[in-house]
Amino acid sequence: MRTQSFVTSHVHTDGPIPGPHSLLTLTSVAHLGDGPVTDSISINLRELPGAKLHPVSLQSWRRRPEDWLCTRRATRPPAVAMDAYASWVDRLPGDPVFVADTADPDYLFLYWYLQRFTGRWPFPTTIADADLHDRLGGRSACPLAGCRPAPLLAKIS
């Protein structure tokens, strides 16, 4: 059996669906099988022309102004960003497998953006497995402070 690179992703957006709203940050991590991290990529994207910040997203980002600013640093045009992402996937060892958590908008945005700007989905296999996504640390590589796990509170006895 050929080696597989499992890829988990985490995105930040300015609304619930792609097109009227934009993908702001994309972070993906590749694992050789379900083992150690072999590579990662993180890209900030410019907003889509004509896209609007959704009112619910606006309220969320207002509570996290430093994270918002982080998403706006060193942004790339969507076509350039998606070409770079697809090239990254193409260079992974073995067969790339996208591991989706369908409860998150990550798959929806990533699929739409890749199809829109590269005309293809570079993963020969996609599996929907929230447990595997979490086990592989789907959010752990995210550069935003709001995504980092909260520190554990010490028990008071």
Side-chain angles (χ1 to χ4, degrees), residues 50-99:
K52 303 276 189 249
L53 182 61
H54 190 275
V56 173
S57 294
L58 173 62
Q59 292 305 314
S60 174
W61 285 117
R62 280 187 173 161
R63 290 188 298 272
R64 300 168 53 195
E66 282 140 23
D67 280 349
W68 172 261
L69 290 175
C70 184
T71 72
R72 303 301 75 218
R73 288 189 192 113
T75 60
R76 297 183 194 180
V80 172
M82 291 298 98
D83 281 340
Y85 185 83
S87 293
W88 176 79
V89 172
D90 291 342
R91 289 189 307 272
L92 292 173
D95 295 322
V97 176
F98 187 79
V99 180

Side-chain angles (χ1 to χ4, degrees), residues 4-10 26-32 36-43 76 79-99 110 114 118 120-124 136-138 141:
Q4 294 178 316
S5 286
F6 288 155
V7 176
T8 59
S9 294
H10 183 66
L26 163 62
T27 302
S28 287
V29 177
H31 301 261
L32 201 50
V37 171
T38 57
D39 204 357
S40 65
I41 188 171
S42 189
I43 305 171
R76 297 183 194 180
V80 172
M82 291 298 98
D83 281 340
Y85 185 83
S87 293
W88 176 79
V89 172
D90 291 342
R91 289 189 307 272
L92 292 173
D95 295 322
V97 176
F98 187 79
V99 180
L110 186 55
L114 282 164
T118 70
R120 69 189 182 100
W121 177 246
F123 298 95
L136 293 175

Side-chain angles (χ1 to χ4, degrees), residues 80-154:
V80 172
M82 291 298 98
D83 281 340
Y85 185 83
S87 293
W88 176 79
V89 172
D90 291 342
R91 289 189 307 272
L92 292 173
D95 295 322
V97 176
F98 187 79
V99 180
D101 178 352
T102 54
D104 287 332
D106 304 19
Y107 173 78
L108 171 69
F109 271 86
L110 186 55
Y111 185 84
W112 189 92
Y113 266 73
L114 282 164
Q115 289 293 346
R116 169 70 178 84
F117 294 106
T118 70
R120 69 189 182 100
W121 177 246
F123 298 95
T125 306
T126 301
I127 58 173
D129 188 331
D131 291 335
L132 179 59
H133 185 270
D134 291 347
R135 200 167 57 248
L136 293 175
R139 302 186 102 172
S140 63
C142 182
L144 304 186
C147 288
R148 295 186 195 120
L152 295 174
L153 298 175

